[in-house]
Amino acid sequence: MSTGGSSSAGLIHPISEPRLTDKESKICSVLDEVAKRYEAKKGKKVQLRIAGGWVRDKLLGLECHDLDIGIDRMMGYDFAILVNEYLEEHGHEKRSIAKIATNPEKSKHLETATMMVLDMPLDFVNLRSEVYDDVSRIPSEITFGTPSEDAYRRDTTINALFYNIHTRSVEDFTGKGVEDLKKGLIRTPLESFETFWQDPLRVMRCVRFAARFHFQIVDDAKQAILDPRIKDALRTKISKERIGAELDKMIDDQAGRSTAIKLIHDLGLYDVVFAPPVIDSTPRGTTALYGELEPVEDAFKLVWIMEWLLKIKPAPAGQDEVAEAKVYQAEIDLGQESLLAQTRGSAFADHLYPVVTTISSPAIPQILSKDEPFPEKIGTRNLILTGMIYPYRNMSATVNKKLVPAGSWIMRYGLKGKNQDIDIVSKLMECQEPVRNIVNAIQSTTQSMDLASEEQSRRERADMGMVIRDIGNIGNAIIGKKWPCAFILALGIELLPKFESLRSGVLDDESRALISKYNAFLAKAEAYQIDHCFAWKYLVDGKELAQLLNIKPGPKVTDYLQRVMSAQ
């Protein structure tokens, strides 16, 4: 492997020393002492470095609790034993050491030891050098490596930085990591085509970090990603689980979800990450395909709009710009706000400020009740996933003689998603027509419950409640209080034609009217006290009803139970 002939000279950046917490500083002191004791006892010197993401995040001013300790000339497990012995001698309780074996299929090419040190989890792994062949992304040879060799085998220069525990300084063996971090650039240590060819999953990691930190991918890396050979390698050499895992990290990272899907589209990766159904000719497999892919741009637009809608928060008193009991305004994405707050003052985050603004949109009605914070991990996650596969809304496939929406197929077979995610995303997509119908029906009846007849209110309440129940219960996966996801999605879809104006900060009368229409439904659901009706139990159970009506359990009983619930 060529490392450009770099030596360690001139690679230390004392002015870039990250600010360690007291606990991190104590951990470094402990590890330094253990290394010194080993050298004094064995006559062999061991160098310890904190590697990768911790250094990057610390320089950006971000909190990071993921400490990977890179060791030269020793296995991680062996050094962890020495750390345990040292801590015991100094009055600390002996901790268990978990040994994580190599698993090349999951990018675990070397053995890792994990243990708690001063109440913080540490991973110990030896530095390495890798040799690849053209057949597989799994290295054909792995050996102990120098810090420089280890740095050049990494995915990006900003992830190839080390913090030397003994000298307490940042080391940049590629010579570009610190500068790229300052300028906000995603660059590979080696020539980009070679880096991605060795391990195509690095393409996804580049996209993830570019989206998370709002960095720019350099042209060399862009051109390599756009190369059909790299695209094909990502499709054929990387397991669906690994691609899905990287996508999960993008979705769970609040600061860059819409940016991530836009990059995936712009770099021609949409049909790789969200690979469409394919006919496999097996008796129980996929035997037929129907429909066409809609414009992929809709995925980015819809994800952006839904993120914008989820930024609703109470407006200051006196800003009652809309005739509603409660007025809310949309502000910057909470993830981006957190990113800005944490990095403010860092010399490595100047590029963020011209890109991310904190200008509020005009005040608009509430979208979700703020009494119960919207569940980030489940609710928003599934909304974003649904938006990402929205272009497949008119496609379906026959699988094991059953018609399956293409989005569900992609979630199950393409991304190897969890059953709960598959069920919820499928439900969010399939319920869009009844959601729009019920919202429009409520809007078209009366604008005031006071003027509505008692019978009309009863009928309206029943119709609304049955839709909410249908969304809130999906077999074994109960959405429960997350049912408003379906209405956020429906509103987002209706706002798609307004994407350009919304993104430029313009909220016109038509957009306000759409938002108010959905807000009216949610307000009525709360007023009717049916916002938790998904959890209601039937007044009679199925067996009791079958006995009363003297019929056998089956579809008829289910139909009668629905009538019972409608009456409730």
Side-chain angles (χ1 to χ4, degrees), residues 429-446:
M429 288 294 289
E430 74 179 36
C431 73
Q432 286 307 292
E433 184 175 353
V435 164
R436 285 192 297 270
N437 289 343
I438 192 65
V439 169
N440 290 330
I442 299 306
Q443 183 76 4
S444 64
T445 52
T446 177

Side-chain angles (χ1 to χ4, degrees), residues 429-551:
M429 288 294 289
E430 74 179 36
C431 73
Q432 286 307 292
E433 184 175 353
V435 164
R436 285 192 297 270
N437 289 343
I438 192 65
V439 169
N440 290 330
I442 299 306
Q443 183 76 4
S444 64
T445 52
T446 177
Q447 301 299 315
S448 171
M449 289 192 299
D450 295 335
L451 299 177
S453 68
E454 185 178 342
E455 176 59 31
Q456 181 185 8
S457 294
R458 267 204 305 268
R459 184 71 265 157
E460 190 175 73
R461 183 176 189 267
D463 292 343
M464 291 173 63
M466 294 306 287
V467 171
I468 290 172
R469 279 185 63 83
D470 181 60
I471 299 168
N473 292 273
I474 313 174
N476 294 325
I478 300 176
I479 292 182
K481 69 177 70 174
K482 304 167 195 66
W483 62 264
C485 287
F487 291 81
I488 291 291
L489 176 62
L491 174 56
I493 292 171
E494 288 208 59
L495 286 170
L496 272 174
K498 298 293 183 179
F499 169 74
E500 295 298 340
S501 60
L502 290 175
R503 203 175 183 207
S504 63
V506 176
L507 186 65
D508 60 24
D509 291 341
E510 192 174 349
S511 298
R512 283 176 177 269
L514 284 170
I515 294 168
S516 294
K517 180 174 69 171
Y518 280 83
N519 184 66
F521 177 91
L522 296 172
K524 274 198 172 185
E526 186 175 349
Y528 278 140
Q529 298 182 341
I530 54 173
D531 46 332
H532 284 72
C533 69
F534 54 84
W536 292 2
K537 302 296 183 183
Y538 291 103
L539 290 175
V540 293
D541 61 31
K543 290 183 178 179
E544 184 182 359
L545 188 60
Q547 290 175 352
L548 287 172
L549 298 176
N550 195 26
I551 59 176

